[in-house]
Amino acid sequence: MLKLAVLVSGGGTNLQAILDAIDTGKITNARVEVVISNNPGAYALERAARCGVEGICISPKEYENRAAFNAAFLDKLNSYEVDLVVMAGFLVVLPPEMIAQYRNRIINIHPSLIPSFCGTGFYGLKVHEGALARGVKVTGATVHFVDEGTDTGPIILQKAVEVCEGDTPEVLQRRVMEQAEWKILPKAIDLIANDKVSVADGHVTIKE
Ligand code: GRF
């Protein structure tokens, strides 16, 4: 049984997709142990509570400096003894020590086809604003392992989504969520939970 910690900051629709996939059997052999948010008002915490999953808050604002937060965050995560950390819209930079300790055991969902529209400054609606400004005809979402960079870790799954005439950033964001994010994030978790994902030299192999 793969034990998960899901890190959130906002609405939690990706968390909901994970919880629903576990509930319907689309994800097997996995369980969400804890939902961790930096934002006490995150609706994702409400979603966790409704599904009987423990939700906790921890924020850099509660600590005198980032080093103190990083140490407390890592200690708190370690106390749950999870196998996989899932970043689902988490907007706080992870402690380097956490990334090192959980090498290839932290995944992230990014709302573009990496390496397009990613990296520093590309988050939330800004990703879709960039895609529309560039005039791409196809965008999508990416699930990748997290390394020390920003959106630079080994890619696990991607799914393309059409950009339609007249799309606003909000409309495009919703389509990418519905058609890509909410499908490939649960799929990636199910593959990992069933030992079908391996990483070598920065490249991911999937055994279907
Ligand atoms: C999603 O668009 C995801 O791609 C990005 O942050 C957003 C989180 O949305 N990383 P939600 O909190 O899962 O609804």
Side-chain angles (χ1 to χ4, degrees):
M1 180 66 72
L2 195 77
K3 295 168 65 179
L4 309 176
V6 182
L7 309 186
V8 298
S9 296
T13 63
N14 278 284
L15 168 66
Q16 192 67 56
I18 295 165
L19 294 170
D20 292 348
I22 290 172
D23 191 40
T24 58
K26 282 189 181 171
I27 294 177
T28 60
N29 200 26
R31 180 178 67 230
V32 179
E33 290 294 308
V34 62
V35 172
I36 302 176
S37 177
N38 65 301
N39 168 13
Y43 190 66
L45 290 171
E46 181 75 28
R47 295 180 189 271
R50 284 196 196 145
C51 292
V53 175
E54 182 181 2
I56 65 167
C57 275
I58 184 166
S59 167
K61 295 174 185 167
E62 301 162 0
Y63 295 85
E64 61 185 76
N65 56 53
R66 178 59 70 141
F69 164 75
N70 284 352
F73 187 12
L74 184 54
D75 284 348
K76 177 59 72 176
L77 177 65
N78 286 341
S79 71
Y80 288 93
E81 296 182 331
V82 299
D83 305 299
L84 184 71
V85 179
V86 181
M87 296 176 70
F90 192 62
L91 295 177
V92 171
V93 175
L94 295 189
E97 303 83 1
M98 184 180 289
I99 294 169
Q101 185 176 324
Y102 288 81
R103 182 73 57 196
N104 292 330
R105 294 199 293 143
I106 305 173
I107 64 174
N108 180 51
I109 176 80
H110 183 77
S112 75
L113 296 176
I114 289 173
S116 297
F117 312 113
C118 65
T120 306
F122 280 109
Y123 58 89
L125 277 180
K126 293 179 188 295
V127 174
H128 306 291
E129 288 166 359
L132 291 170
R134 183 64 184 82
V136 295
K137 303 308 176 188
V138 174
T139 185
T142 303
V143 180
H144 63 93
F145 285 111
V146 171
D147 64 10
E148 283 71 11
T150 303
D151 305 325
T152 54
I155 290 172
I156 304 168
L157 291 177
Q158 294 188 301
K159 190 170 189 325
V161 173
E162 186 186 8
V163 180
C164 299
E165 198 60 41
D167 270 349
T168 63
E170 292 78 5
V171 166
L172 182 56
Q173 178 179 54
R174 183 76 190 184
R175 187 179 310 120
V176 169
M177 284 176 150
E178 287 175 348
Q179 296 184 8
E181 296 180 39
W182 300 343
K183 296 182 187 299
I184 63 173
L185 186 54
K187 176 71 177 169
I189 293 168
D190 182 60
L191 289 168
I192 293 168
N194 292 284
D195 293 326
K196 294 185 178 175
V197 175
S198 58
V199 191
D201 301 326
H203 284 76
V204 172
T205 301
I206 293 173
K207 296 162 278 187
E208 279 287 7

mmCIF file of all heavy atoms in Angstrom, residues 86-107:
data_model
loop_
_atom_site.group_PDB
_atom_site.id
_atom_site.type_symbol
_atom_site.label_atom_id
_atom_site.label_comp_id
_atom_site.label_asym_id
_atom_site.label_seq_id
_atom_site.Cartn_x
_atom_site.Cartn_y
_atom_site.Cartn_z
ATOM 1 N N VAL A 86 2.862 14.174 -3.132
ATOM 2 C CA VAL A 86 2.220 14.685 -4.346
ATOM 3 C C VAL A 86 1.972 16.180 -4.188
ATOM 4 O O VAL A 86 1.220 16.601 -3.300
ATOM 5 C CB VAL A 86 0.876 13.972 -4.595
ATOM 6 C CG1 VAL A 86 0.231 14.494 -5.885
ATOM 7 C CG2 VAL A 86 1.071 12.466 -4.674
ATOM 8 N N MET A 87 2.631 16.980 -5.029
ATOM 9 C CA MET A 87 2.393 18.433 -5.016
ATOM 10 C C MET A 87 1.236 18.722 -5.966
ATOM 11 O O MET A 87 1.324 18.478 -7.167
ATOM 12 C CB MET A 87 3.649 19.177 -5.466
ATOM 13 C CG MET A 87 4.821 18.979 -4.526
ATOM 14 S SD MET A 87 6.305 19.774 -5.157
ATOM 15 C CE MET A 87 5.830 21.496 -4.935
ATOM 16 N N ALA A 88 0.123 19.206 -5.387
ATOM 17 C CA ALA A 88 -1.091 19.472 -6.184
ATOM 18 C C ALA A 88 -1.463 20.932 -5.995
ATOM 19 O O ALA A 88 -2.379 21.283 -5.238
ATOM 20 C CB ALA A 88 -2.208 18.536 -5.720
ATOM 21 N N GLY A 89 -0.697 21.789 -6.653
ATOM 22 C CA GLY A 89 -0.960 23.226 -6.528
ATOM 23 C C GLY A 89 -0.326 23.823 -5.294
ATOM 24 O O GLY A 89 -0.833 24.781 -4.710
ATOM 25 N N PHE A 90 0.765 23.253 -4.842
ATOM 26 C CA PHE A 90 1.458 23.738 -3.639
ATOM 27 C C PHE A 90 2.400 24.861 -4.047
ATOM 28 O O PHE A 90 3.246 24.670 -4.929
ATOM 29 C CB PHE A 90 2.246 22.591 -2.994
ATOM 30 C CG PHE A 90 2.763 22.882 -1.615
ATOM 31 C CD1 PHE A 90 1.876 23.152 -0.570
ATOM 32 C CD2 PHE A 90 4.131 22.872 -1.349
ATOM 33 C CE1 PHE A 90 2.350 23.414 0.710
ATOM 34 C CE2 PHE A 90 4.611 23.129 -0.084
ATOM 35 C CZ PHE A 90 3.719 23.395 0.955
ATOM 36 N N LEU A 91 2.230 26.032 -3.395
ATOM 37 C CA LEU A 91 2.932 27.224 -3.888
ATOM 38 C C LEU A 91 4.141 27.618 -3.051
ATOM 39 O O LEU A 91 4.669 28.718 -3.182
ATOM 40 C CB LEU A 91 1.939 28.399 -3.971
ATOM 41 C CG LEU A 91 0.814 28.190 -4.990
ATOM 42 C CD1 LEU A 91 -0.161 29.370 -4.948
ATOM 43 C CD2 LEU A 91 1.395 28.007 -6.404
ATOM 44 N N VAL A 92 4.556 26.736 -2.123
ATOM 45 C CA VAL A 92 5.729 27.028 -1.298
ATOM 46 C C VAL A 92 6.922 26.229 -1.823
ATOM 47 O O VAL A 92 6.794 25.050 -2.169
ATOM 48 C CB VAL A 92 5.455 26.654 0.177
ATOM 49 C CG1 VAL A 92 6.730 26.752 1.014
ATOM 50 C CG2 VAL A 92 4.366 27.558 0.747
ATOM 51 N N VAL A 93 8.095 26.850 -1.876
ATOM 52 C CA VAL A 93 9.312 26.153 -2.336
ATOM 53 C C VAL A 93 9.672 25.058 -1.327
ATOM 54 O O VAL A 93 9.725 25.320 -0.115
ATOM 55 C CB VAL A 93 10.476 27.158 -2.458
ATOM 56 C CG1 VAL A 93 11.773 26.428 -2.811
ATOM 57 C CG2 VAL A 93 10.152 28.209 -3.535
ATOM 58 N N LEU A 94 9.888 23.859 -1.816
ATOM 59 C CA LEU A 94 10.213 22.750 -0.907
ATOM 60 C C LEU A 94 11.628 22.900 -0.358
ATOM 61 O O LEU A 94 12.534 23.333 -1.072
ATOM 62 C CB LEU A 94 10.108 21.414 -1.639
ATOM 63 C CG LEU A 94 8.737 20.978 -2.142
ATOM 64 C CD1 LEU A 94 8.812 19.540 -2.640
ATOM 65 C CD2 LEU A 94 7.677 21.117 -1.062
ATOM 66 N N PRO A 95 11.841 22.488 0.889
ATOM 67 C CA PRO A 95 13.195 22.504 1.436
ATOM 68 C C PRO A 95 14.128 21.601 0.625
ATOM 69 O O PRO A 95 13.735 20.475 0.283
ATOM 70 C CB PRO A 95 13.011 21.940 2.846
ATOM 71 C CG PRO A 95 11.561 22.112 3.176
ATOM 72 C CD PRO A 95 10.840 22.026 1.870
ATOM 73 N N PRO A 96 15.319 22.063 0.314
ATOM 74 C CA PRO A 96 16.272 21.208 -0.430
ATOM 75 C C PRO A 96 16.510 19.865 0.268
ATOM 76 O O PRO A 96 16.647 18.831 -0.390
ATOM 77 C CB PRO A 96 17.550 22.046 -0.455
ATOM 78 C CG PRO A 96 17.128 23.450 -0.194
ATOM 79 C CD PRO A 96 15.877 23.387 0.629
ATOM 80 N N GLU A 97 16.497 19.904 1.602
ATOM 81 C CA GLU A 97 16.722 18.654 2.355
ATOM 82 C C GLU A 97 15.592 17.648 2.087
ATOM 83 O O GLU A 97 15.808 16.439 2.044
ATOM 84 C CB GLU A 97 16.779 18.946 3.871
ATOM 85 C CG GLU A 97 17.836 19.952 4.307
ATOM 86 C CD GLU A 97 17.378 21.407 4.152
ATOM 87 O OE1 GLU A 97 16.215 21.656 3.725
ATOM 88 O OE2 GLU A 97 18.210 22.294 4.414
ATOM 89 N N MET A 98 14.374 18.177 1.899
ATOM 90 C CA MET A 98 13.216 17.294 1.626
ATOM 91 C C MET A 98 13.384 16.654 0.250
ATOM 92 O O MET A 98 13.171 15.449 0.079
ATOM 93 C CB MET A 98 11.925 18.109 1.681
ATOM 94 C CG MET A 98 10.662 17.288 1.512
ATOM 95 S SD MET A 98 9.156 18.307 1.580
ATOM 96 C CE MET A 98 9.144 18.748 3.335
ATOM 97 N N ILE A 99 13.779 17.458 -0.730
ATOM 98 C CA ILE A 99 13.953 16.935 -2.095
ATOM 99 C C ILE A 99 15.039 15.860 -2.107
ATOM 100 O O ILE A 99 14.898 14.809 -2.740
ATOM 101 C CB ILE A 99 14.291 18.081 -3.063
ATOM 102 C CG1 ILE A 99 13.093 19.030 -3.168
ATOM 103 C CG2 ILE A 99 14.667 17.538 -4.440
ATOM 104 C CD1 ILE A 99 13.372 20.331 -3.888
ATOM 105 N N ALA A 100 16.099 16.091 -1.362
ATOM 106 C CA ALA A 100 17.199 15.110 -1.310
ATOM 107 C C ALA A 100 16.744 13.827 -0.632
ATOM 108 O O ALA A 100 16.995 12.720 -1.106
ATOM 109 C CB ALA A 100 18.388 15.725 -0.583
ATOM 110 N N GLN A 101 16.025 13.986 0.494
ATOM 111 C CA GLN A 101 15.596 12.804 1.257
ATOM 112 C C GLN A 101 14.543 11.997 0.503
ATOM 113 O O GLN A 101 14.458 10.780 0.619
ATOM 114 C CB GLN A 101 15.044 13.235 2.624
ATOM 115 C CG GLN A 101 14.675 12.073 3.542
ATOM 116 C CD GLN A 101 14.216 12.553 4.910
ATOM 117 O OE1 GLN A 101 14.719 13.536 5.451
ATOM 118 N NE2 GLN A 101 13.236 11.850 5.475
ATOM 119 N N TYR A 102 13.709 12.689 -0.286
ATOM 120 C CA TYR A 102 12.617 12.024 -1.014
ATOM 121 C C TYR A 102 12.922 12.015 -2.516
ATOM 122 O O TYR A 102 12.046 12.282 -3.353
ATOM 123 C CB TYR A 102 11.283 12.740 -0.754
ATOM 124 C CG TYR A 102 10.741 12.515 0.639
ATOM 125 C CD1 TYR A 102 11.224 13.249 1.723
ATOM 126 C CD2 TYR A 102 9.753 11.559 0.889
ATOM 127 C CE1 TYR A 102 10.741 13.040 3.007
ATOM 128 C CE2 TYR A 102 9.254 11.353 2.171
ATOM 129 C CZ TYR A 102 9.753 12.091 3.226
ATOM 130 O OH TYR A 102 9.278 11.895 4.508
ATOM 131 N N ARG A 103 14.176 11.718 -2.863
ATOM 132 C CA ARG A 103 14.586 11.688 -4.273
ATOM 133 C C ARG A 103 13.693 10.744 -5.075
ATOM 134 O O ARG A 103 13.489 9.596 -4.695
ATOM 135 C CB ARG A 103 16.041 11.227 -4.377
ATOM 136 C CG ARG A 103 16.609 11.206 -5.772
ATOM 137 C CD ARG A 103 16.883 12.598 -6.329
ATOM 138 N NE ARG A 103 17.798 13.367 -5.480
ATOM 139 C CZ ARG A 103 17.944 14.696 -5.571
ATOM 140 N NH1 ARG A 103 17.221 15.384 -6.449
ATOM 141 N NH2 ARG A 103 18.786 15.336 -4.773
ATOM 142 N N ASN A 104 13.126 11.275 -6.164
ATOM 143 C CA ASN A 104 12.217 10.476 -7.006
ATOM 144 C C ASN A 104 11.040 9.891 -6.232
ATOM 145 O O ASN A 104 10.506 8.832 -6.587
ATOM 146 C CB ASN A 104 12.975 9.362 -7.729
ATOM 147 C CG ASN A 104 13.934 9.929 -8.772
ATOM 148 O OD1 ASN A 104 13.666 10.996 -9.342
ATOM 149 N ND2 ASN A 104 15.052 9.259 -8.966
ATOM 150 N N ARG A 105 10.633 10.589 -5.158
ATOM 151 C CA ARG A 105 9.427 10.207 -4.393
ATOM 152 C C ARG A 105 8.548 11.425 -4.140
ATOM 153 O O ARG A 105 7.668 11.408 -3.277
ATOM 154 C CB ARG A 105 9.824 9.558 -3.068
ATOM 155 C CG ARG A 105 10.536 8.222 -3.248
ATOM 156 C CD ARG A 105 10.503 7.419 -1.975
ATOM 157 N NE ARG A 105 11.308 8.063 -0.920
ATOM 158 C CZ ARG A 105 10.951 8.070 0.372
ATOM 159 N NH1 ARG A 105 9.805 7.539 0.747
ATOM 160 N NH2 ARG A 105 11.730 8.652 1.277
ATOM 161 N N ILE A 106 8.799 12.494 -4.930
ATOM 162 C CA ILE A 106 7.946 13.679 -4.921
ATOM 163 C C ILE A 106 7.532 13.926 -6.366
ATOM 164 O O ILE A 106 8.395 13.974 -7.255
ATOM 165 C CB ILE A 106 8.670 14.942 -4.401
ATOM 166 C CG1 ILE A 106 9.269 14.708 -3.020
ATOM 167 C CG2 ILE A 106 7.696 16.140 -4.357
ATOM 168 C CD1 ILE A 106 10.143 15.845 -2.505
ATOM 169 N N ILE A 107 6.204 14.039 -6.607
ATOM 170 C CA ILE A 107 5.750 14.350 -7.959
ATOM 171 C C ILE A 107 4.950 15.651 -7.938
ATOM 172 O O ILE A 107 4.423 16.049 -6.894
ATOM 173 C CB ILE A 107 4.916 13.212 -8.579
ATOM 174 C CG1 ILE A 107 3.608 12.977 -7.818
ATOM 175 C CG2 ILE A 107 5.740 11.928 -8.666
ATOM 176 C CD1 ILE A 107 2.695 11.949 -8.491
#
